Amino acid sequence: MPFELRIKDRTAKVEILDQQGSFYQVKIGEKLYQIDVTKVESGVYSVIYQGKSINMEMIEGSTSNTYIVNTRSNDYQVAIIDAKTRYLEARKGDHDSGETIISSPMPGKIVRLLVKKGEKVAKGDTVIIVSAMKMESEYKSPVDGIIAKIFVKADDVVDAHQPLVEIEPINEQ
Amino acid sequence: MPFELRIKDRTAKVEILDQQGSFYQVKIGEKLYQIDVTKVESGVYSVIYQGKSINMEMIEGSTSNTYIVNTRSNDYQVAIIDAKTRYLEARKGDHDSGETIISSPMPGKIVRLLVKKGEKVAKGDTVIIVSAMKMESEYKSPVDGIIAKIFVKADDVVDAHQPLVEIEPINEQ
Amino acid sequence: MIKKVLVANRGEIAVRIMRSCREMDIASVAVYSSADRKSQHVRYANEAYYIGPSPSKESYLNIEKLIEVAKLSGADAIHPGYGFLSENAEFARRVIEAGIRFIGPTPEAITAMGDKVTARKIMIEAGVSVVPGTNENLDTDEALQRVAREIGYPLMIKASAGGGGKGMRLVRSEKELVASYNMAKSEARTAFGNDTVYIEKYIESPHHIEFQVLADQRGNTIHLFERECSVQRRHQKVVEETPSPLMTPELRAKMGEQAVAAARSVDYVGAGTVEFLVDDDHNFYFLEMNARLQVEHPITERVTGVDLVKQQILIADGQVLKIKQEALNQFGHAIECRIYAEDPDNNFMPSPGLIKHITEPLGLGVRTDGYVYEGYEIPIYYDPMISKLIVWALTREEAIQRMKRALFEYKITGVKTSIPFLKRIMDTPDFVSGKYNTHFIENNEDYLMSRNDCNQECEDLAMFVAYLDYLEKLSSVNMNKEVETNEASSWKEYARRRNVIRF
Amino acid sequence: MIKKVLVANRGEIAVRIMRSCREMDIASVAVYSSADRKSQHVRYANEAYYIGPSPSKESYLNIEKLIEVAKLSGADAIHPGYGFLSENAEFARRVIEAGIRFIGPTPEAITAMGDKVTARKIMIEAGVSVVPGTNENLDTDEALQRVAREIGYPLMIKASAGGGGKGMRLVRSEKELVASYNMAKSEARTAFGNDTVYIEKYIESPHHIEFQVLADQRGNTIHLFERECSVQRRHQKVVEETPSPLMTPELRAKMGEQAVAAARSVDYVGAGTVEFLVDDDHNFYFLEMNARLQVEHPITERVTGVDLVKQQILIADGQVLKIKQEALNQFGHAIECRIYAEDPDNNFMPSPGLIKHITEPLGLGVRTDGYVYEGYEIPIYYDPMISKLIVWALTREEAIQRMKRALFEYKITGVKTSIPFLKRIMDTPDFVSGKYNTHFIENNEDYLMSRNDCNQECEDLAMFVAYLDYLEKLSSVNMNKEVETNEASSWKEYARRRNVIRF
């Protein structure tokens, strides 16, 4: 059951050729590997490859087919590209000229909204200020546009990745 | 939805009278309690009762309705007596004069079987020797009887609570 | 003897104080806000009481409520920790009026040290060196030039009522002086409605070095040597160490003496810290005194062996300091790294959230003071510090190696942390050689930038393990429900086949 | 310099050695048996190789395989840890023949110290005090009585070929002597086919005190003071501390001198331990020398600041010992508790199994050397030690308080552990006062028995929390399937109602 995976810009097909206990013979892209992999804790794997001992932690991303893979020294974004993903990505392409949404990368509390619905904003204008852990962060508009929707109000507590403000870009052809 | 619970020899009815968030008003036996209980980790609860802060860990027993409750300083066996348990306990009563099973309280490896099927043993005779962690433990017959079944052989690796030998007691009326 | 201590704080410092209480057979009382019901300090304490909603001003800063809980629980002393109400003279006063011991200095000492201009005056009177400068308004260009020449260039012109960099002017030579002076005055007038400015010597590449002091109620005052705190980002300390690589026995003796003099000048009681700016020529200047326990106190504890929290409690209890200055020694070298929930690769954006997994470093010479645990959600309302990692070794070189080993072992997932950034600091040549000052981070941006060391092979392994985890997810019941394509059945087929291969 | 070390061991000691390797920028190679694929030492190492099935003799004792892996991985040194092959002269010889450095003493020294009678002879020659006694076969009752009188009562008659208590007789006075002697001889003849017996003074209530030594390849030999190891259960050490409460500066100087002499007498190289029996009158007698790192080495590391594993590696690398005897000091007090997977309330039955939950003690003065983690299953094939908990404080009194605090914080569930037993030791008056010997545990059975301190209120709380957890289980999907009575639907109804109440 081969599958395509993506890390950074690179996509590679992954296929298990053989398995004996924790020993796998795998083809990744065009390369053959013999890897010893075993799950040691919830989401944590011990990998032995060419004698080297590596610990990897799989943290589920925002969707069920993406991971942040953590090693002792680094972390990488990995996506599994299944039929569903391909479909969604194709669909997304159709809509690409649509709205821009500002969302919070972290949980926090809305300090101030600097715009109103229907207001015009220039690229780089501060739209909203969110506070978390005694620090205030300003979120700026990435485009010239018009405020289409505001999802929150001052003093709201928001989760990570929650949409805050939607901006309809102005096309200046 | 009241329930009966047992700790040591004591059985008490537990009933939630009211709940506001983590605050419970409960009747346990004849006593009324106001308790603040919240789950902090998997199976771990933080309890605040009359200002006192107590940590309790719930470890599932051998059956789904029994617990070993761990506090910082002690542990207690607690059983929830539901209809099923009552039924099983009633049924067990019928069979009580039946066989005696020697089982291993811990995982280990069978070192030696000192008995054969059909053999007569006296109370206190060593029946089987199990080793775990560089230490050998002798398991003795709790009754005078005849070896009815042997479930393991030398060098077998056994789990905790796995039956090893069944002894049919001899009734000497 | 004090029998029950209410800790008017949260997070790692609350747990750290309770640890010492426990070792003294003193009961500890936790207080908590709505966001903190599941916090470690609530779980660690003997008793715990709710004090209000999550925002600090409605809970941890609520003096009324804290004193009410102290009375209710029968606590005979209150430890304020650091931050929150720890340097609030009003709080100290109210606690004492309620007949409860305040584990800290007198309200008067807090007040004196809290106001920078007052503190500076007291220090001058006590013979403690302050940054050379003047408070007088200089009327003529001649007077200005004369004073500036006395102080020496470069110098700073500061607005007396100023703050936050406003009304400040750096002057490098006499020819800029008059123009800068007039601009600063005009800026001060506009900003604060008060054009009083004063001149201070500008310390070019200062070291931030502080001295720990302890003083009992009888006036016995000692110092426990220095802490080097020059690794700072936006005036926030990141790494501290002791001894300071800059220090000499002579300088230590001089600074220690002045630190003790500074504490004595305000009749200081308890544990406090005297902060100095030090230049490369070993000139040092009083900066401020922190009238409380510092975040970085553990490195002092490690090289002296003294439990500072225990000393605070004994002093508050009225006991005489048993430690003599001459008996104190710095044994070996200690370094502290502060672990924050923040993303060093994204402008140090705070990163609150759920701790999915945590592995603390252990073994020889490693101490961790933290408060989070697996499954704990770091709230958005308070400081992003997760823990402090303190290592000790016989030499500075070994201590750095040990810190690298400890950072390697430290694994926290679920939130972003400063651990990768701290690892890079330990590898930076200026840090390794001990030749650094408060400009360390800006001077070493190249070394401190994130480097991706994953080659294609390492990427391939990451993809494969993600693939395996995904397969496992797919074969679980819930996942099958989600994948509503005809792939689902072939997945089940595959899962079956995989089991066959496996055995 | 050594660049890569193969650690021929497992568990906590393997991880501990790798920690020091990492601090020296030396790569570490783990070896593992079938049972140990998921073990912490495999995950911690830079490299890991499979060496055979779970039983030790097919893996960790397989000399051939270990040397093969060392060559394959390019390791230039092997550290044997303790136990397994650490005191196997044949292994040391084979490693050296393969051109790999053995991190330990020479095969000759291992052989000499491995045989008790040889070791005793060497010690007598080196002027080290041994238990007074004789090796000669005594032919007449007169000779026997004369020698016995010289040695003094009580005394032990021991079979020369003996072991395990067989052929041993305790003699308290002259009137029992001849009869006991003859019985011992006859027992020895029956048991070993050799009736040679010898007489040794019986040390009535001995202390077990050992000295840590370090020796480089040039013959520089030092000691790092003593460890008091008298808290033993069936000759297994349970708690160790340093300094020993029994010790005086004079006794320490004398014993240290003899420990160094003992090491020198066999040209000892590396880290070793000389064990003594000491009586209440400060007479001491050589017991044996352990030609390896001891389990309890961390308490010495803590009071001296010396990383013993690093010293072992530097010595094996041929470097000259930089530490001078006169520069060494014991700073403060350290105590170690050994945490075993065993049930103290059930005759210390081993308790292997799955670690469900673990919380390690942290904070000031606490070190944990362990290897298990949440979700790890302790295998049945090896030693039941989970970890070592080491605390340090300025004084013995404070160290005991700190150990109690650390044991309070230490939570391991899934397996039974010795933690409750260790807590009771820390509360036992004989331990607290420091007046104990190797009979401590048998003399204090009353204090060391489990006590149930749960009153009805505490039982009620336990029942209520169990009830809540059970409710949650019931409302989960799986549980509903299991409960196939008509209760299930009312449970669903209840769960719905509960949600309504909640918000």
Side-chain angles (χ1 to χ4, degrees):
Chain A
M1 175 63 54
F3 242 138
E4 287 208 323
L5 279 92
R6 182 164 53 215
I7 192 163
K8 291 185 223 153
D9 302 331
R10 189 162 64 89
T11 301
K13 205 166 83 172
V14 177
E15 187 172 10
I16 297 176
L17 305 177
D18 190 26
Q19 186 198 354
Q20 303 286 335
S22 63
F23 292 94
Y24 294 84
Q25 201 166 57
V26 203
K27 198 172 158 191
I28 303 173
E30 290 309 305
K31 217 170 151 184
L32 284 174
Y33 287 90
Q34 290 191 303
I35 315 177
D36 178 356
V37 185
T38 187
K39 193 174 184 172
V40 288
E41 296 172 75
S42 164
V44 183
Y45 291 79
S46 165
V47 178
I48 300 180
Y49 171 64
Q50 293 185 341
K52 288 193 292 287
S53 173
I54 304 155
N55 291 274
M56 285 191 178
E57 183 150 21
M58 302 293 119
I59 299 159
E60 238 179 74
S62 44
T63 59
S64 65
N65 69 322
T66 58
Y67 284 98
I68 296 156
V69 178
N70 240 295
T71 67
R72 290 251 189 215
S73 60
N74 244 313
D75 47 45
Y76 318 105
Q77 285 265 5
V78 174
I80 292 99
I81 307 169
D82 54 17
K84 199 171 154 192
T85 314
R86 252 193 296 271
Y87 170 72
L88 287 175
E89 287 192 342
R91 245 185 87 204
K92 194 183 151 214
D94 302 342
H95 288 251
D96 226 16
S97 56
E99 72 291 339
T100 298
I101 289 183
I102 295 180
S103 64
S104 163
M106 57 175 176
K109 195 177 165 185
I110 307 302
V111 176
R112 207 161 40 244
L113 270 158
L114 301 172
V115 293
K116 290 205 186 70
K117 197 179 159 177
E119 199 175 321
K120 226 171 151 176
V121 288
K123 185 175 166 177
D125 282 359
T126 299
V127 171
I128 189 165
I129 300 175
V130 181
S131 112
M133 308 184 115
K134 296 157 87 184
M135 187 169 140
E136 296 193 350
S137 307
E138 302 190 342
Y139 294 88
K140 296 173 198 303
S141 176
V143 293
D144 295 333
I146 287 164
I147 302 299
K149 268 185 206 154
I150 296 178
F151 300 96
V152 291
K153 58 183 193 302
D155 294 331
D156 277 5
V157 172
V158 294
D159 282 336
H161 311 298
Q162 185 178 324
L164 307 176
V165 173
E166 181 178 324
I167 302 169
E168 187 79 44
I170 302 170
N171 290 319
E172 299 175 343
Q173 288 116 331
Chain B
M1 177 61 55
F3 243 138
E4 284 210 326
L5 280 92
R6 183 164 55 217
I7 191 162
K8 291 186 225 152
D9 301 332
R10 189 163 64 90
T11 302
K13 205 167 84 172
V14 176
E15 187 173 7
I16 298 177
L17 305 178
D18 190 25
Q19 185 197 354
Q20 303 287 336
S22 63
F23 291 93
Y24 294 85
Q25 200 165 61
V26 203
K27 197 173 159 191
I28 303 173
E30 289 310 305
K31 217 170 151 186
L32 283 175
Y33 287 90
Q34 290 191 305
I35 315 177
D36 178 356
V37 185
T38 187
K39 193 175 184 171
V40 288
E41 296 174 74
S42 164
V44 183
Y45 291 78
S46 166
V47 178
I48 300 178
Y49 170 65
Q50 292 186 339
K52 286 193 292 290
S53 172
I54 305 156
N55 290 273
M56 285 192 179
E57 183 150 22
M58 302 292 120
I59 299 159
E60 238 179 71
S62 45
T63 59
S64 64
N65 69 320
T66 60
Y67 285 97
I68 295 157
V69 178
N70 241 296
T71 67
R72 292 252 185 213
S73 60
N74 245 313
D75 47 43
Y76 320 103
Q77 286 266 5
V78 175
I80 291 99
I81 306 167
D82 53 17
K84 201 172 154 190
T85 313
R86 252 192 294 270
Y87 171 70
L88 287 175
E89 288 193 342
R91 245 184 90 206
K92 196 183 150 216
D94 302 341
H95 288 250
D96 225 16
S97 56
E99 73 291 338
T100 300
I101 288 181
I102 296 180
S103 64
S104 163
M106 58 177 172
K109 195 178 166 183
I110 307 301
V111 176
R112 208 160 41 245
L113 269 157
L114 301 172
V115 292
K116 290 203 187 73
K117 196 181 160 176
E119 203 176 316
K120 224 172 151 175
V121 287
K123 184 175 167 178
D125 283 0
T126 298
V127 170
I128 190 167
I129 300 175
V130 181
S131 112
M133 310 186 115
K134 297 158 86 187
M135 187 168 141
E136 297 192 349
S137 308
E138 302 188 341
Y139 294 89
K140 297 172 199 304
S141 175
V143 292
D144 295 332
I146 289 165
I147 303 298
K149 266 186 208 153
I150 296 178
F151 300 97
V152 292
K153 57 182 191 304
D155 293 332
D156 277 5
V157 171
V158 294
D159 281 338
H161 311 299
Q162 186 177 323
L164 308 176
V165 173
E166 182 179 322
I167 302 169
E168 186 79 45
I170 301 170
N171 290 319
E172 299 174 345
Q173 289 121 326
Chain C
M1 180 65 193
I2 290 170
K3 287 195 170 53
K4 193 183 273 190
V5 171
L6 183 146
V7 181
N9 215 304
R10 64 176 302 284
E12 69 86 19
I13 192 60
V15 175
R16 190 262 165 274
I17 294 163
M18 290 174 192
R19 285 194 162 115
S20 283
C21 289
R22 183 162 286 275
E23 291 179 13
M24 299 172 87
D25 293 327
I26 291 172
S28 53
V29 179
V31 291
Y32 63 96
S33 71
S34 302
D36 273 343
R37 173 62 184 87
K38 298 184 180 193
S39 197
Q40 187 67 65
H41 73 287
V42 175
R43 300 176 57 196
Y44 196 95
N46 295 88
E47 299 179 25
Y49 296 88
Y50 174 74
I51 50 164
S54 305
S56 311
K57 62 174 183 290
E58 300 174 57
S59 48
Y60 298 108
L61 298 176
N62 185 340
I63 295 178
E64 211 68 54
K65 187 72 190 171
L66 289 166
I67 291 175
E68 182 192 319
V69 168
K71 286 182 173 169
L72 172 71
S73 63
D76 43 14
I78 291 183
H79 196 305
Y82 54 69
F84 294 131
L85 295 170
S86 61
E87 290 179 291
N88 185 311
E90 170 67 8
F91 180 56
R93 191 171 297 119
R94 293 285 302 281
V95 168
I96 296 164
E97 281 168 9
I100 301 164
R101 287 166 202 268
F102 181 74
I103 301 176
T106 59
E108 294 73 27
I110 298 174
T111 303
M113 287 305 188
D115 182 76
K116 303 304 165 229
V117 174
T118 312
R120 187 179 156 93
K121 274 187 196 152
I122 296 174
M123 288 310 126
I124 292 169
E125 280 162 31
V128 175
S129 29
V130 297
V131 179
T134 170
N135 282 334
E136 24 167 351
N137 217 346
L138 301 160
D139 294 327
T140 65
D141 290 356
E142 287 71 35
L144 175 64
Q145 282 166 346
R146 178 179 45 77
V147 169
R149 232 172 282 142
E150 275 167 27
I151 294 169
Y153 293 91
L155 51 78
M156 286 295 274
I157 303 171
K158 291 184 178 178
S160 200
K166 270 179 190 148
M168 266 170 71
R169 276 281 177 288
L170 172 62
V171 184
R172 293 210 165 265
S173 69
E174 186 159 332
K175 65 172 188 274
E176 307 165 28
L177 181 66
V178 175
S180 292
Y181 183 78
N182 292 331
M183 275 168 66
K185 268 185 108 69
S186 120
E187 214 175 283
R189 199 180 308 120
T190 317
F192 314 109
N194 173 354
D195 72 352
T196 311
V197 296
Y198 65 100
I199 300 177
E200 230 182 51
K201 190 172 171 60
Y202 176 68
I203 313 297
E204 193 79 56
S205 297
H207 298 255
H208 178 123
I209 298 179
E210 59 187 29
F211 271 68
Q212 176 69 52
V213 297
L214 273 181
D216 67 18
Q217 297 184 20
R218 316 278 181 92
N220 298 307
T221 308
I222 58 170
H223 72 86
L224 292 92
F225 314 108
E226 80 279 9
R227 291 185 290 259
E228 167 71 65
C229 306
S230 298
V231 180
Q232 300 188 352
R233 202 183 60 78
R234 295 188 197 157
H235 300 287
Q236 188 191 53
K237 295 167 192 165
V238 177
V239 176
E240 303 97 354
E241 62 177 316
T242 184
S244 164
L246 186 80
M247 197 55 65
T248 61
E250 296 71 37
L251 182 59
R252 181 176 294 124
K254 269 198 284 180
M255 290 179 73
E257 211 171 90
Q258 297 224 344
V260 169
R264 283 212 172 108
S265 71
V266 290
D267 296 324
Y268 198 85
V269 169
T273 295
V274 183
E275 297 192 335
F276 294 98
L277 289 182
V278 187
D279 68 21
D280 287 332
D281 301 325
H282 289 190
N283 299 306
F284 61 93
Y285 310 99
F286 173 85
L287 189 62
E288 61 178 29
M289 180 164 187
N290 295 313
R292 53 167 167 86
L293 199 65
Q294 298 276 90
V295 173
E296 59 273 22
H297 76 277
I299 56 174
T300 298
E301 295 186 321
R302 194 49 166 92
V303 297
T304 62
V306 175
D307 183 328
L308 289 171
V309 172
K310 282 186 190 163
Q311 291 302 322
Q312 286 187 300
I313 294 172
L314 292 174
I315 289 168
D317 192 55
Q319 301 194 26
V320 175
L321 206 54
K322 287 203 184 110
I323 312 166
K324 301 287 166 228
Q325 187 70 59
E326 53 279 12
L328 280 173
N329 247 311
Q330 289 171 297
F331 181 48
H333 197 97
I335 305 177
E336 173 181 283
C337 280
R338 300 188 184 191
I339 316 292
Y340 287 99
E342 62 185 17
D343 185 355
D345 298 331
N346 184 13
N347 198 27
F348 298 89
M349 179 88 85
S351 177
L354 185 77
I355 303 292
K356 291 198 175 166
H357 203 264
I358 186 163
T359 306
E360 265 124 359
L362 301 171
L364 179 56
V366 176
R367 166 180 175 183
T368 315
D369 271 32
Y371 79 107
V372 308
Y373 56 88
E374 248 166 68
Y376 176 71
E377 190 165 349
I378 299 180
I380 62 166
Y381 300 96
Y382 316 109
D383 192 89
M385 196 167 73
I386 294 175
S387 74
K388 304 177 313 201
L389 174 57
I390 302 104
V391 303
W392 177 92
L394 268 179
T395 64
R396 184 171 189 273
E397 189 190 348
E398 191 183 13
I400 294 173
Q401 288 294 101
R402 186 158 289 159
M403 182 58 88
K404 284 161 73 169
R405 187 268 288 176
L407 289 167
F408 161 82
E409 289 180 21
Y410 213 153
K411 264 302 201 189
I412 301 173
T413 52
V415 302
K416 295 271 184 185
T417 74
S418 54
I419 292 173
F421 184 68
L422 293 163
K423 282 181 184 167
R424 297 193 288 265
I425 290 177
M426 292 299 131
D427 277 329
T428 303
D430 280 357
F431 184 81
V432 173
S433 67
K435 292 200 173 65
Y436 65 89
N437 55 43
T438 44
H439 300 305
F440 170 75
I441 287 179
E442 55 193 273
N443 287 349
N444 285 282
E445 274 175 354
D446 286 352
Y447 282 101
L448 299 174
M449 285 233 309
S450 172
R451 284 176 294 276
N452 191 336
D453 57 2
C454 194
N455 58 15
Q456 186 176 328
E457 211 166 82
C458 135
E459 287 180 9
D460 282 356
L461 293 179
M463 281 198 282
F464 178 59
V465 178
Y467 170 76
L468 280 188
D469 198 80
Y470 190 65
L471 287 188
E472 198 187 292
K473 267 204 299 188
L474 276 188
S475 57
S476 77
V477 183
N478 291 338
M479 196 58 193
N480 279 340
K481 274 194 292 185
E482 235 181 280
V483 183
E484 284 160 348
T485 66
N486 62 356
E487 272 179 35
S489 61
S490 49
W491 274 118
K492 277 183 203 150
E493 170 58 29
Y494 180 75
R496 257 199 299 279
R497 204 151 44 85
R498 228 168 38 120
N499 283 333
V500 173
I501 299 168
R502 195 166 267 163
F503 296 104
Chain D
M1 180 61 194
I2 290 170
K3 288 195 166 54
K4 194 184 271 191
V5 171
L6 183 145
V7 181
N9 215 305
R10 65 176 301 284
E12 69 85 18
I13 191 61
V15 175
R16 192 258 165 273
I17 293 163
M18 290 174 192
R19 285 193 162 118
S20 283
C21 288
R22 183 162 285 276
E23 291 179 14
M24 299 172 87
D25 293 326
I26 292 172
S28 54
V29 179
V31 292
Y32 63 96
S33 71
S34 302
D36 272 343
R37 172 63 183 87
K38 298 185 182 192
S39 196
Q40 186 67 64
H41 73 288
V42 174
R43 300 176 57 194
Y44 196 95
N46 295 90
E47 300 180 25
Y49 297 88
Y50 174 74
I51 50 162
S54 305
S56 311
K57 62 174 184 291
E58 299 174 57
S59 48
Y60 298 108
L61 297 175
N62 185 340
I63 295 179
E64 212 68 54
K65 187 72 188 171
L66 289 166
I67 290 176
E68 184 192 317
V69 169
K71 286 180 170 170
L72 172 72
S73 64
D76 44 13
I78 292 182
H79 196 304
Y82 54 68
F84 293 131
L85 295 168
S86 62
E87 289 179 292
N88 183 313
E90 170 67 9
F91 180 56
R93 190 173 295 118
R94 292 284 303 283
V95 168
I96 295 164
E97 280 168 11
I100 300 165
R101 287 168 201 267
F102 180 75
I103 301 176
T106 60
E108 294 73 25
I110 297 175
T111 303
M113 287 304 189
D115 182 75
K116 303 304 165 227
V117 174
T118 312
R120 186 180 158 93
K121 274 187 196 149
I122 296 174
M123 289 310 124
I124 293 169
E125 282 162 27
V128 175
S129 27
V130 298
V131 179
T134 170
N135 282 335
E136 22 165 353
N137 214 347
L138 301 161
D139 293 327
T140 66
D141 290 358
E142 286 72 33
L144 175 65
Q145 282 166 347
R146 179 180 42 77
V147 169
R149 232 171 281 140
E150 277 168 30
I151 295 168
Y153 293 93
L155 51 78
M156 285 295 276
I157 305 172
K158 289 184 179 178
S160 199
K166 271 178 191 150
M168 267 172 69
R169 276 285 177 287
L170 172 62
V171 183
R172 294 213 165 260
S173 68
E174 188 161 329
K175 63 174 190 272
E176 308 164 27
L177 180 66
V178 176
S180 292
Y181 184 77
N182 291 331
M183 274 168 67
K185 268 186 111 66
S186 122
E187 213 176 285
R189 199 180 307 121
T190 316
F192 314 111
N194 173 352
D195 71 352
T196 312
V197 297
Y198 65 99
I199 300 178
E200 232 181 51
K201 191 175 168 61
Y202 175 70
I203 313 298
E204 193 81 55
S205 297
H207 298 254
H208 177 122
I209 299 179
E210 58 188 29
F211 271 69
Q212 177 69 52
V213 297
L214 274 181
D216 66 18
Q217 296 183 19
R218 317 278 180 94
N220 298 308
T221 308
I222 58 171
H223 72 86
L224 292 94
F225 314 107
E226 80 279 8
R227 291 187 289 259
E228 167 71 65
C229 306
S230 299
V231 179
Q232 300 188 353
R233 202 182 60 79
R234 295 186 196 160
H235 301 285
Q236 190 192 51
K237 295 166 192 165
V238 177
V239 175
E240 302 97 354
E241 63 176 315
T242 185
S244 163
L246 186 79
M247 197 56 66
T248 62
E250 297 71 35
L251 181 60
R252 181 176 293 124
K254 271 198 282 179
M255 289 181 74
E257 211 171 89
Q258 296 224 346
V260 168
R264 284 212 171 107
S265 70
V266 290
D267 296 324
Y268 198 86
V269 168
T273 294
V274 183
E275 298 192 333
F276 295 98
L277 289 182
V278 187
D279 67 21
D280 286 333
D281 300 326
H282 289 193
N283 299 305
F284 61 92
Y285 311 99
F286 172 86
L287 189 63
E288 62 179 32
M289 179 164 186
N290 295 313
R292 53 166 168 83
L293 199 68
Q294 299 276 87
V295 173
E296 59 272 23
H297 75 278
I299 56 173
T300 297
E301 296 186 320
R302 194 51 167 90
V303 297
T304 63
V306 175
D307 183 328
L308 289 170
V309 172
K310 282 186 189 162
Q311 292 301 321
Q312 287 187 299
I313 294 172
L314 293 173
I315 288 167
D317 193 57
Q319 301 193 27
V320 175
L321 207 53
K322 287 201 185 115
I323 312 166
K324 302 287 166 227
Q325 186 70 61
E326 54 278 12
L328 280 173
N329 247 312
Q330 289 170 295
F331 181 49
H333 197 95
I335 305 177
E336 172 181 283
C337 281
R338 300 189 184 190
I339 316 292
Y340 288 98
E342 63 184 18
D343 185 356
D345 297 332
N346 185 12
N347 198 28
F348 297 91
M349 180 87 84
S351 176
L354 185 77
I355 301 293
K356 291 199 176 166
H357 203 264
I358 185 164
T359 305
E360 265 123 359
L362 300 171
L364 178 55
V366 176
R367 165 180 176 185
T368 315
D369 272 31
Y371 79 107
V372 308
Y373 54 88
E374 245 165 68
Y376 176 71
E377 190 166 348
I378 299 179
I380 61 166
Y381 299 97
Y382 317 109
D383 192 90
M385 195 167 74
I386 294 176
S387 74
K388 303 179 311 203
L389 174 56
I390 303 104
V391 304
W392 177 93
L394 269 180
T395 63
R396 184 171 190 272
E397 189 191 347
E398 192 182 12
I400 293 173
Q401 288 293 101
R402 187 158 289 160
M403 181 58 88
K404 284 160 72 169
R405 188 269 288 175
L407 288 168
F408 161 81
E409 290 181 19
Y410 213 154
K411 263 303 201 187
I412 301 174
T413 51
V415 302
K416 293 272 182 183
T417 74
S418 53
I419 292 173
F421 184 68
L422 293 163
K423 281 181 186 168
R424 296 193 290 262
I425 289 178
M426 292 299 131
D427 276 331
T428 304
D430 281 357
F431 184 82
V432 173
S433 67
K435 292 200 175 67
Y436 65 90
N437 55 44
T438 45
H439 300 305
F440 170 74
I441 288 180
E442 54 194 272
N443 287 348
N444 285 283
E445 275 174 354
D446 285 353
Y447 282 102
L448 299 173
M449 286 234 305
S450 171
R451 283 177 294 275
N452 191 335
D453 57 2
C454 193
N455 57 16
Q456 184 175 327
E457 210 167 84
C458 136
E459 286 180 10
D460 281 355
L461 293 178
M463 283 197 282
F464 177 58
V465 178
Y467 170 75
L468 281 187
D469 198 78
Y470 189 67
L471 287 187
E472 198 185 294
K473 269 205 297 189
L474 276 188
S475 57
S476 77
V477 184
N478 291 336
M479 196 58 193
N480 279 340
K481 274 194 291 185
E482 237 181 278
V483 183
E484 282 159 346
T485 67
N486 62 355
E487 270 179 38
S489 61
S490 50
W491 275 118
K492 278 184 202 150
E493 171 57 29
Y494 179 75
R496 257 198 301 280
R497 202 149 49 83
R498 230 167 35 119
N499 283 334
V500 173
I501 300 169
R502 194 167 269 162
F503 297 103

